Amino acid sequence: MICTIEHALVPGTFDPITYGHIDVVRRARRLFPRVTVAVAESIGKNGSGPVFSLDERVALAREALAGTPGVEVEPFCGLLVDFAHQLGAGAVVKGLRAMTDFEYELQQADLNYRLDSELESIFVMSAPQYGYISSSVVRQISSFGGDVSALVPPNVVEALRARFS
């Protein structure tokens, strides 16, 4: 019996959304008819909270992905598997830049499998031009007044300037 998955999640903190994230979302959309970008609350990520609030991160992602058919952006808190159930999503798509990403994402996928063995984990390798981009690098460069316009969409450039000026 062949089953298809109609809806996938692309989860993350997106603090802020980058061109690397957008590449993963667009590639996920080529695989699935419907994709939800699941913006995690992530109050305590890496020992401190995100630079942008959950509402700001959702708004930035929605604007950056506006006009991308079949893609919606939604906030969530709690377990990803619960959010997937709530939305009826059957897969989680994550982008991988390096082996260190793989190790972390494999741990998350294993935990998600233990919570819901029907929720598939799909990994896509970053396109070479985005492999070095991370939200933390974007925030750091921006905090020192550096130009991040090649790394993030224009709406994010403006939000970062406003935050760090």
Side-chain angles (χ1 to χ4, degrees):
M1 178 170 120
I2 297 176
C3 296
T4 59
I5 297 172
E6 297 292 322
H7 185 190
L9 300 180
V10 178
T13 306
F14 303 101
D15 187 38
I17 193 166
T18 69
Y19 284 135
H21 293 130
I22 293 168
D23 177 60
V24 171
V25 170
R26 289 182 176 155
R27 292 166 70 199
R29 179 58 182 85
R30 289 198 307 258
L31 299 170
F32 303 99
R34 182 172 169 219
V35 171
T36 298
V37 175
V39 182
E41 187 174 32
S42 298
I43 291 173
K45 186 174 180 182
N46 297 328
S48 64
V51 169
F52 293 103
S53 72
L54 180 59
D55 288 342
E56 289 170 321
R57 290 180 281 129
V58 167
L60 288 169
R62 283 181 177 156
E63 186 176 347
L65 292 162
T68 307
V71 174
E72 58 188 30
V73 178
E74 296 296 333
F76 83 99
C77 59
L79 293 174
L80 181 62
V81 295
D82 291 341
F83 191 59
H85 288 161
Q86 178 184 336
L87 296 182
V92 173
V93 178
K94 296 292 291 192
L96 300 176
R97 294 169 299 189
M99 283 305 292
T100 53
D101 284 349
F102 177 76
E103 291 172 9
Y104 174 79
E105 295 302 343
L106 179 61
Q107 289 175 352
Q108 297 303 305
D110 288 349
L111 291 170
N112 287 339
Y113 183 85
R114 290 181 186 274
L115 295 170
D116 180 1
S117 62
E118 297 296 311
L119 184 64
E120 293 294 338
S121 294
I122 312 292
F123 300 106
V124 296
M125 297 307 300
S126 290
Q129 67 267 35
Y130 303 123
Y132 65 95
I133 300 174
S134 71
S135 293
S136 58
V137 166
V138 166
R139 289 190 312 270
Q140 185 175 30
I141 291 169
S142 186
S143 73
F144 289 109
D147 179 14
V148 293
S149 61
L151 310 177
V152 296
N155 69 313
V156 175
V157 172
E158 291 306 313
L160 287 164
R161 281 187 187 140
R163 184 58 40 102
F164 292 119
S165 61

